[in-house]
């Protein structure tokens, strides 16, 4: 953000009611953009009345800008394909990243409140319980356990998984809106912290890997509570686990 005599106040707001799994008490929503060097955690937003809508107002010079909303710095960010064709008409897409976009032209402005990861004017779909399950029969589970993360589901320790019955299949169940279909996710074995992406499963060259998004998995469309079973590191085990995936 630059300082000048002709800056305009711009207000941003995002409705987080459709955030996958919901926000925890320690989670913070941030504004990130080229106006602040994509700084991660320098522009925290606030939800003082607890209505799920996070806001921030900042001064900006006239110009064209790109931005997106993130959770806990860069731990989780809004995500679009980045294929050169904007999903939202208002967005900018350079073929690598797609971001929200707007122009400041000599006047204060309040941008339309949007839902997390949705285009202006779009509303969330139906929310269902999605159980993500990964069979660990072919690996030794690390000391910190198994995690679901990546894409729309957070950093390398986005969501801890559990194996309550000791059968080697780790699970976590999240409330997910149908508009998150197509989002990326990945399983991680024993990550040391939220940035330990070296712990993720390697799906490179396999049919379920999204080559445009770090070879992560892609959440399929769903219209009800859904159980997704995988074999760690193996696409052919999707739906059946490692017994048929090796």
């Amino acid at each position: 953000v630059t300082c000048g005599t002709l800056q305009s106040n711009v207000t941003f707001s995002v409705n987080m009611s459709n955030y996958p799994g919901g926000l925890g008490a320690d989670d913070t929503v941030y504004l990130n953009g080229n106006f602040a060097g994509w700084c991660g955690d320098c522009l925290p937003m606030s939800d003082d009345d607890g209505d799920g809508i996070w806001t921030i107002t900042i001064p900006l010079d006239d110009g064209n800008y790109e931005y997106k909303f993130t959770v806990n710095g860069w731990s989780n960010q809004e995500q679009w394909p980045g294929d050169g064709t904007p999903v939202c008409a208002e967005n900018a897409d350079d073929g690598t990243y797609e971001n929200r976009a707007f122009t400041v032209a000599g006047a204060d402005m309040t941008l339309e409140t949007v839902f997390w990861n949705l285009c202006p004017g779009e509303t969330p779909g139906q929310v269902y319980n999605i159980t993500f399950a990964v069979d660990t029969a072919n690996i030794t589970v690390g000391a910190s356990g198994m995690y679901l993360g990546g894409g729309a589901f957070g950093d390398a320790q986005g969501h801890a998984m559990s194996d309550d019955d000791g059968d080697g299949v780790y699970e976590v169940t999240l409330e997910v809106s149908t508009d998150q279909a197509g989002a990326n996710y990945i399983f991680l074995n024993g990550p040391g912290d939220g940035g330990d992406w070296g712990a993720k499963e390697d799906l490179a060259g396999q049919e379920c890997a999204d080559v445009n998004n770090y070879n992560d998995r892609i959440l399929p469309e769903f219209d009800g509570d859904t159980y997704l079973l995988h074999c760690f590191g193996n696409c052919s085990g999707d739906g059946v686990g490692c017994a048929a995936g090796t």
Side-chain angles (χ1 to χ4, degrees), residues 205-217:
Q206 299 186 53
E207 69 276 6
C208 69
D210 185 349
V211 297
N212 294 317
N213 288 287
Y214 310 103
N215 291 312
D216 286 357
R217 297 181 182 272

Side-chain angles (χ1 to χ4, degrees), residues 1 29-33 35-36 39-45 56 58:
V1 179
V29 181
Y30 290 86
L31 172 67
N32 266 286
F35 41 76
C39 55
D41 59 0
C42 67
L43 294 173
M45 306 178 73
I56 188 173
I58 61 174

Side-chain angles (χ1 to χ4, degrees), residues 131-227:
T131 298
F132 298 86
V134 59
D135 190 338
T136 63
N138 296 333
I139 62 171
T140 298
V141 177
S144 67
M146 296 297 301
Y147 286 83
L148 169 73
F153 297 93
D155 61 19
Q157 291 187 333
H159 299 277
M161 307 179 75
S162 60
D163 176 19
D164 295 337
D165 59 7
D167 65 352
V169 176
Y170 285 72
E171 301 178 350
V172 63
T173 300
L174 303 176
E175 291 185 346
V176 183
S177 173
T178 52
D179 56 69
Q180 291 295 325
N184 291 113
Y185 65 100
I186 199 72
F187 299 108
L188 301 104
N189 179 23
D193 54 49
D196 186 7
W197 294 108
K200 65 182 286 186
E201 55 182 341
D202 183 5
L203 302 175
Q206 299 186 53
E207 69 276 6
C208 69
D210 185 349
V211 297
N212 294 317
N213 288 287
Y214 310 103
N215 291 312
D216 286 357
R217 297 181 182 272
I218 301 174
L219 183 64
E221 293 186 359
F222 55 94
D223 58 8
D225 292 347
T226 302
Y227 185 85

Side-chain angles (χ1 to χ4, degrees), residues 8-23:
S8 301
N9 288 320
V10 181
T11 298
F12 304 78
S13 57
V14 57
N15 189 324
M16 298 298 293
S17 62
N18 65 323
Y19 182 74
L23 290 174

Side-chain angles (χ1 to χ4, degrees), residues 69-92:
F69 301 108
T70 67
V71 175
N72 299 333
W74 279 114
S75 295
N76 193 4
Q77 60 181 283
E78 296 185 295
Q79 177 189 40
W80 292 280
D83 57 5
T85 303
V87 172
C88 305
E90 301 83 357
N91 286 7

